[in-house]
Amino acid sequence: MQKDNLVIFDTTLRDGEQSPGASMTKDEKIRIAKMLEKMKVDVIEAGFAIASPGDFEAVQAVAAAVKDSTICSLARAVRPDIERAGDAVKGANSGRIHTFIATSPIHMKYKLQLEPDQVLAQAVEAVKMARNLCDDVEFSLEDGSRTEPEFMYRIVEAVIAAGARTINIPDTVGYGTPAEYGVMFKNVIENVPNSDLAIFSAHCHNDLGLAVANSMEAVMNGVRQVECTINGLGERAGNASLEEVVMAVNTRKDFYPVESRIDPVHIVPTSRLVATVTGFPVQPNKAIVGANAFAHESGIHQDGVLKHRETYEIMKAEDVGWNTNKLVLGKHSGRAAVKARFEELGISFDSQESLNDAFKRFKELADKKHEIFDEDLQALVSDAEAEFTAEIYAFESMEVNCKTGEKPLAKLSFTKNGENVSTESDGSGPVDAVFKAIEKVANSNAELALYSVNAITAGTEAQGDVTVRLSRAGSIVNGVGADTDVVAASAKAYLHALNLLESGVKAHPQHTGV
């Protein structure tokens, strides 16, 4: 029997970016979008075009860079948002406008302060406006899982009649359970006369840890698009995880009545890229992409796998890309080989000068460690972008003295607005001393919201990937730094965060609520 296609709608670049500190630059969004395109993701939601000039430019740039996936921009159900979204995706081979309005009683009463009939009229008008700008229009009922059924049927019928061809009913606050969320779609499809003219979509948040379960139950009840993110990234507890949805469908072909066109071999490399760009490391026991996802510690399990893999493994690690992230590059590797591998990772260079700079950094790293992995190359590019985000602060050199029983002392040299600065401080540890020394010059009044160190690859010579999250006056930024010396990586990350904070780049995006 022919199975239906399950449309994979990736919103890492929009909803995923709403994780505090996870904002991405335009170039970072393009890198991730190209990997999603290589994975054959059907729809890429590239951002919320009206949120800022930077968001508009990023959506526009992704639309120009990606040819094989539909590029989507989110828009509230108001004319300025819709027109801005239309302009942003105008250059795409395939574009989509995704417009939404809240439909639950609590949202209509307290947030919108509108009566249901007013909300319905605004939704219909928004879809009509969007259809005048773009053939592909998606409509979302914000807080759909708490919307009254009869009103849901009315508004879904009306927006389909107005031209929406994808209807998304999100579990915006992560309140739903699989049984009730699935039945909700079943009832909508059965009670809306023109439901056969639209594809229904699930968009689930993970507040109760049920996002993937809710999404898959929706699929069993007629949904043919799932909105998800790489690594389950997203505001609060995150969204449904793309890799879990895709591999559930691939692995349980006997159960799910759908198939996707996703090429799963790119899942792990894309997961690593998103983790590097956002500074949100993947937990080791995360399904599919966690470091322990295919590891077997139990002797009984190991024995079983050695005798017959399927005894304890339901998937092959290589099918999702675990064997593709090994890279035999080292200090003797040539420029062409390095450039080719960068391109396979979705990293391109806009000039010979930028390629030369990347190759120089590669050689410097190769002098420090024997083997270079894909994760190293991704971190190398992210570290380079961090240096050029703004020219306010730039790391030069560092000396840290540590001795048991004595306070560590850090001496730093960096530039501030092009001028050399030297500073020093002691601290409770070497990193604390480094940060305090920097703050003696910066006086940023920022709060350190997160300090995270992650080994990029295995082994004692691995690069340390450091994330520093600073917050000030409602703005949240992530600074990143990579180095084989984790204290130096920490200094780079802190200076990067200060640059972002001072320049306003990557300020946390506006929350939309979908």
Side-chain angles (χ1 to χ4, degrees), residues 260-325:
S260 82
R261 71 184 195 107
I262 296 294
D263 183 355
V265 75
H266 300 293
I267 284 176
V268 168
T270 307
S271 165
R272 294 298 177 87
L273 174 60
V274 170
T276 299
V277 165
T278 61
F280 281 63
V282 177
Q283 67 193 61
N285 62 333
K286 169 75 171 64
I288 316 299
V289 294
N292 292 347
F294 293 90
H296 300 278
E297 182 72 18
S298 163
I300 295 173
H301 287 205
Q302 290 172 342
D303 181 64
V305 169
L306 288 172
K307 290 175 177 174
H308 190 67
R309 183 186 60 80
E310 285 82 0
T311 54
Y312 286 101
E313 283 191 357
I314 60 173
M315 297 169 282
K316 293 180 181 177
E318 55 268 28
D319 287 350
V320 296
W322 273 109
N323 68 336
T324 62
N325 65 342

Side-chain angles (χ1 to χ4, degrees), residues 432-503:
D432 184 52
V434 165
F435 290 180
K436 285 178 176 174
I438 294 172
E439 277 297 335
K440 279 188 173 181
V441 175
N443 293 314
S444 68
N445 294 317
E447 178 185 351
L448 179 63
L450 174 73
Y451 172 72
S452 171
V453 182
N454 198 42
I456 294 173
T457 57
T460 55
E461 65 174 13
Q463 288 193 91
D465 185 22
V466 175
T467 299
V468 169
R469 185 175 301 158
L470 297 180
S471 64
R472 184 180 67 190
S475 184
I476 305 171
V477 296
N478 266 7
V480 295
D483 201 286
T484 51
D485 180 342
V486 295
V487 182
S490 302
K492 291 178 181 180
Y494 199 94
L495 291 171
H496 180 214
L498 288 177
N499 283 334
L500 295 171
L501 207 57
E502 298 301 332
S503 66

Side-chain angles (χ1 to χ4, degrees), residues 194-440:
N194 55 0
S195 62
D196 60 315
L197 300 178
I199 291 173
F200 284 83
S201 176
H203 177 116
C204 298
H205 284 265
N206 207 37
D207 298 73
L208 294 176
L210 296 171
V212 171
N214 285 341
S215 299
M216 301 315 295
E217 187 63 22
V219 169
M220 296 301 292
N221 283 275
V223 158
R224 292 298 178 261
Q225 175 178 286
V226 171
E227 307 193 2
C228 42
T229 60
I230 299 294
N231 300 338
L233 195 67
E235 59 181 310
R236 303 190 314 277
N239 288 52
S241 165
L242 179 147
E243 56 273 11
E244 294 175 23
V245 170
V246 167
M247 293 313 294
V249 170
N250 283 12
T251 305
R252 293 303 309 272
K253 292 177 181 176
D254 61 317
F255 184 76
Y256 291 110
V258 294
E259 57 189 4
S260 82
R261 71 184 195 107
I262 296 294
D263 183 355
V265 75
H266 300 293
I267 284 176
V268 168
T270 307
S271 165
R272 294 298 177 87
L273 174 60
V274 170
T276 299
V277 165
T278 61
F280 281 63
V282 177
Q283 67 193 61
N285 62 333
K286 169 75 171 64
I288 316 299
V289 294
N292 292 347
F294 293 90
H296 300 278
E297 182 72 18
S298 163
I300 295 173
H301 287 205
Q302 290 172 342
D303 181 64
V305 169
L306 288 172
K307 290 175 177 174
H308 190 67
R309 183 186 60 80
E310 285 82 0
T311 54
Y312 286 101
E313 283 191 357
I314 60 173
M315 297 169 282
K316 293 180 181 177
E318 55 268 28
D319 287 350
V320 296
W322 273 109
N323 68 336
T324 62
N325 65 342
K326 298 292 182 184
L327 183 61
V328 185
L329 285 182
K331 63 191 299 181
H332 300 297
S333 297
R335 188 186 309 266
V338 175
K339 179 175 182 282
R341 191 56 188 167
F342 271 126
E343 289 174 349
E344 287 180 27
L345 295 171
I347 300 167
S348 58
F349 301 95
D350 54 12
S351 67
Q352 187 64 36
E353 183 181 356
S354 59
L355 172 60
N356 290 342
D357 180 70
F359 187 65
K360 178 185 174 185
R361 288 171 177 271
F362 166 81
K363 285 293 190 180
E364 291 171 351
L365 180 59
D367 283 335
K368 297 179 182 179
K369 56 180 301 196
H370 181 64
E371 288 182 301
I372 308 297
F373 298 91
D374 288 0
E375 298 93 329
D376 289 311
L377 295 182
Q378 290 167 341
L380 184 150
V381 173
S382 294
D383 197 41
E385 289 177 349
E387 286 192 19
F388 297 110
T389 297
E391 294 298 322
I392 303 170
Y393 299 101
F395 178 80
E396 294 285 336
S397 63
M398 178 194 70
E399 177 185 334
V400 178
N401 297 314
C402 295
K403 185 177 180 181
T404 303
E406 295 182 8
K407 274 194 167 186
L409 178 67
K411 299 179 180 179
L412 272 82
S413 293
F414 55 90
T415 60
K416 181 179 181 181
N417 293 319
E419 295 184 7
N420 289 316
V421 176
S422 295
T423 180
E424 64 178 66
S425 178
D426 60 12
S428 59
V431 173
D432 184 52
V434 165
F435 290 180
K436 285 178 176 174
I438 294 172
E439 277 297 335
K440 279 188 173 181

Side-chain angles (χ1 to χ4, degrees), residues 102-137:
T103 56
S104 67
I106 190 170
H107 275 238
M108 289 190 292
K109 181 177 180 180
Y110 294 106
K111 188 178 81 170
L112 300 180
Q113 297 181 338
L114 295 174
E115 294 297 319
D117 284 348
Q118 293 174 299
V119 169
L120 189 148
Q122 189 171 329
V124 168
E125 183 60 26
V127 170
K128 288 179 177 178
M129 279 190 284
R131 274 302 302 266
N132 285 332
L133 300 173
C134 185
D135 288 338
D136 188 349
V137 174

Side-chain angles (χ1 to χ4, degrees), residues 36-49:
L36 295 173
E37 178 185 31
K38 187 178 288 188
M39 197 191 301
K40 298 183 180 178
V41 165
D42 298 284
V43 184
I44 300 172
E45 189 166 53
F48 185 37

